[in-house]
Amino acid sequence: MIEFHDVNKTFAGQPAVSNLNLTFAEGAFSVLIGTSGSGKSTTLKMINRLVEHDSGLIRFAGEEIRSLPVLELRRRMGYAIQSIGLFPHWTVARNIATVPQLQKWSRQKINDRVDELMALLGLEPVLRERYPHQLSGGQQQRVGVARALAANPEVLLMDEPFGALDPVTRGALQLEMTRIHRMLGRTIILVTHDIDEALRLADHLVLMDHGEVVQQGTPLTLLTQPANAFVREFFGRSELGVRLLSLRTVGESMREEIAPSDATPLRDVMSLRDALSAFVTCRCEALPVINAHNQPCGTLYFRDLLHTETAHDVAP
Ligand code: ADP
Ligand code: MG
């Protein structure tokens, strides 16, 4: 969907990004991660030409981005950022409708779209006529995402969208994004410096440092086959086991035994990390597992969790 070939960008003689070669696949949830100043935002902004690259080639759906009018390019890409940038004197509904209004959609079509997006983002209809200062931080961020999605963009670009939120709200919005991504199948590129956020969301993970790509691949590849010491250090050796647990589900690790139990069951789609918390709470050796239809489908053993942690070829 989006390809970078040997892309460079310099600000006042200082390279911000160098020799970027990247592919963001259609429908994938890609995450750019790295420390502050590593070139993540610059990379993202070159995609919608908020920043113009100096050299190299960027393609969007097969076309060189400079061959497309910049307004058309931006119309086809939603953009959501941490500072949200909601218009303070506009209601929630009007903020969400920003782009459709620019595109002169009919009033009826705009109203329907606003309703649809508010439902999608879990925003109560009563919030429709409120102003941004009357919303919580999490609600404002949801409005920002709804606005970015309003005109059905082919790509959603997100720059630290949940950066300013408390951990609980942030976790809830991450879950929402995973659900929305699954439902809409839209191509998403998200920038973050938060490792857990990256591991939770990414199909494809790109680790950047000093304006260069250090390694890209699935989260599991970066954790279990780090290309060098920097990658290994970045993801933190000490927490590696716990992080691996967050990438695997109960369903993948359970045994297909169904035994009667009074314990609160786990769901097959839960991460092993959440299952670990449940074991700590219940202090038991095994827990029943249920599927999406609330039918018992197996049993997860605590000792299998420990096994999962060490069973993979983790570089020392
Ligand atoms: P990140 O998003 O990973 O924190 P950025 O892409 O924002 O990093 O920045 C990469 C480098 O480019 C940094 O050294 C930053 O100071 C520099 N930079 C970014 N934008 C500008 C700009 N508009 N003018 C000058 N330097 C910039
Ligand atoms: Mg940034």
Side-chain angles (χ1 to χ4, degrees), residues 36-37 39-42 45 159-160 191:
S36 177
K40 306 179 298 294
S41 295
T42 303
K45 287 177 186 161
D159 196 341
E160 312 250 7
V191 162

Side-chain angles (χ1 to χ4, degrees), residues 3 5 17 54 61 72 82 84 99 109 116 120 139 162 164 167 172-173 189 211 233 243 253 260 278 284 295:
E3 293 165 69
H5 296 283
V17 297
D54 294 337
E72 184 195 327
Q82 179 181 327
I84 314 169
V99 182
K109 200 173 157 201
E116 189 183 358
L120 181 70
Q139 289 168 336
F162 315 131
L173 266 168
I189 307 174
E233 295 297 323
R243 294 206 158 115
S253 312
C284 52
Q295 302 293 329

Side-chain angles (χ1 to χ4, degrees), residues 20-279:
L20 288 186
N21 286 290
L22 293 165
T23 303
F24 300 108
E26 180 161 9
F29 202 136
S30 298
V31 174
L32 296 174
I33 188 167
T35 50
S36 177
S38 56
K40 306 179 298 294
S41 295
T42 303
T43 304
L44 199 72
K45 287 177 186 161
M46 287 190 302
I47 298 173
N48 64 6
R49 290 179 63 189
L50 284 174
V51 167
E52 296 279 358
H53 57 287
D54 294 337
S55 65
L57 186 71
I58 304 177
R59 280 210 195 92
F60 168 48
E63 292 185 88
E64 216 280 318
I65 56 170
R66 284 185 182 145
S67 70
L68 299 165
V70 80
L71 285 180
E72 184 195 327
L73 187 73
R74 294 201 188 137
R75 180 177 59 69
R76 294 169 63 184
M77 297 178 178
Y79 185 55
I81 52 178
Q82 179 181 327
S83 52
I84 314 169
L86 297 180
F87 301 110
H89 305 300
W90 287 8
T91 62
V92 165
R94 188 150 179 226
N95 264 288
I96 295 174
T98 306
V99 182
Q101 226 146 30
L102 283 173
Q103 293 178 13
K104 311 237 182 298
W105 290 20
S106 72
R107 179 179 278 267
Q108 185 59 52
K109 200 173 157 201
I110 289 178
N111 277 336
D112 291 349
R113 184 66 180 147
V114 169
D115 288 343
E116 189 183 358
L117 284 162
M118 289 188 66
L120 181 70
L121 269 301
L123 291 160
E124 299 286 321
V126 35
L127 300 176
R128 219 173 187 282
E129 300 309 318
R130 295 237 181 116
Y131 291 90
H133 75 271
Q134 298 169 313
L135 305 177
S136 70
Q139 289 168 336
Q140 291 182 27
Q141 209 53 261
R142 285 169 198 265
V143 174
V145 175
R147 184 177 62 179
L149 287 170
N152 278 313
E154 291 157 63
V155 176
L156 184 57
L157 306 174
M158 309 179 88
D159 196 341
E160 312 250 7
F162 315 131
L165 303 175
D166 64 87
V168 173
T169 310
R170 192 179 178 130
L173 266 168
Q174 289 165 351
L175 270 181
E176 288 290 295
M177 279 321 297
T178 322
R179 186 179 64 80
I180 290 169
H181 177 246
R182 274 203 211 109
M183 209 168 106
L184 305 179
R186 210 54 54 82
T187 307
I188 300 180
I189 307 174
L190 178 138
V191 162
T192 184
H193 62 263
D194 180 320
I195 295 172
D196 290 309
E197 177 163 290
L199 295 177
R200 208 166 283 154
L201 297 177
D203 300 321
H204 182 72
L205 188 55
V206 179
L207 175 61
M208 297 186 66
D209 187 41
H210 289 102
E212 295 185 26
V213 173
V214 189
Q215 189 174 359
Q216 54 182 314
T218 63
L220 201 57
T221 305
L222 270 70
L223 286 182
T224 57
Q225 297 161 43
N228 57 33
F230 176 83
V231 182
R232 202 175 304 137
E233 295 297 323
F234 186 85
F235 290 105
R237 242 181 285 192
S238 58
E239 293 217 38
L240 194 54
V242 178
R243 294 206 158 115
L244 282 170
L245 288 180
S246 62
L247 293 178
R248 298 207 175 83
T249 64
V250 168
E252 288 162 11
S253 312
M254 69 184 188
R255 302 189 198 180
E256 287 178 4
E257 306 167 8
I258 296 168
S261 167
D262 295 334
T264 308
L266 303 168
R267 294 199 166 269
D268 57 353
V269 293
M270 280 170 78
S271 73
L272 291 184
R273 191 170 180 165
D274 293 333
L276 182 61
S277 309
F279 278 113

